[in-house]
Amino acid sequence: MWISIPKRHIVVWDSICSNISPEELDVVMEPFLYMLPYLLVECASSDEQCAQYSLEPFTYERPTNIPLARAGDCGVYSLKYIECHALGIEFSKKYFAKPNGKTMRDKMAVDIFQELPDAHEFENKDNDDNLGAYDG
């Protein structure tokens, strides 16, 4: 979900639209549409800031021009959308064709691993001290 506070609007980026019907999404989204205004009012740091927010519910949309993903690729698509948005690049269907899913997943895994240079130190710590904790 992409939430615009000034516009009081939520965009639901759904890469597998067939998983939930528009009617079911209305039911799922309703609590968010009403909860966000209340959160803004309750979390306001001053009366002046509180006064600028109303309790009117937000609106939402689900664009239909999102490239379709296979099951399991939602995380990849979410990260790529955030990356495109942050860099001002168009979120285009041609870059997110189904055959590119594995390549994108692999590249992201490498990028994340490279950003965490000490990650390999933790992968073998499996809490051996507690291995027999539940043995009879």
Side-chain angles (χ1 to χ4, degrees):
M1 289 192 281
W2 177 47
I3 301 171
S4 172
I5 293 172
K7 294 180 181 178
R8 305 180 63 74
H9 188 71
I10 300 171
V11 180
V12 178
W13 299 99
D14 187 0
S15 59
I16 307 178
C17 290
S18 62
N19 278 354
I20 186 169
S21 71
E23 294 79 17
E24 292 170 318
L25 187 60
D26 285 343
V27 172
V28 170
M29 288 300 298
E30 186 176 15
F32 290 99
L33 303 177
Y34 285 89
M35 177 182 62
L36 283 171
Y38 280 91
L39 280 172
L40 290 171
V41 169
E42 289 298 318
C43 294
S45 59
S46 66
D47 290 340
E48 294 82 25
Q49 190 179 29
C50 185
Q52 73 182 4
Y53 299 121
S54 79
L55 296 178
E56 289 295 315
F58 277 45
T59 58
Y60 90 94
E61 67 178 305
R62 176 171 62 174
T64 56
N65 62 342
I66 303 300
L68 294 178
R70 292 179 301 181
D73 285 341
C74 297
V76 173
Y77 276 53
S78 298
L79 289 174
K80 288 307 280 183
Y81 173 76
I82 292 168
E83 180 181 32
C84 289
H85 185 69
L87 297 173
I89 300 170
E90 178 187 359
F91 189 69
S92 170
K93 287 184 180 187
K94 76 176 186 177
Y95 299 121
F96 299 98
K98 287 181 183 180
N100 297 339
K102 182 178 180 343
T103 304
M104 285 190 289
R105 276 195 308 275
D106 293 347
K107 182 180 179 329
M108 283 184 187
V110 169
D111 289 346
I112 291 169
F113 189 78
Q114 288 175 339
E115 289 295 322
L116 303 168
D118 297 328
H120 64 279
E121 292 179 12
F122 302 105
E123 68 185 49
N124 291 322
K125 291 184 178 179
D126 56 5
N127 210 4
D128 285 342
D129 294 340
N130 296 316
L131 269 178
Y134 296 103
D135 291 343

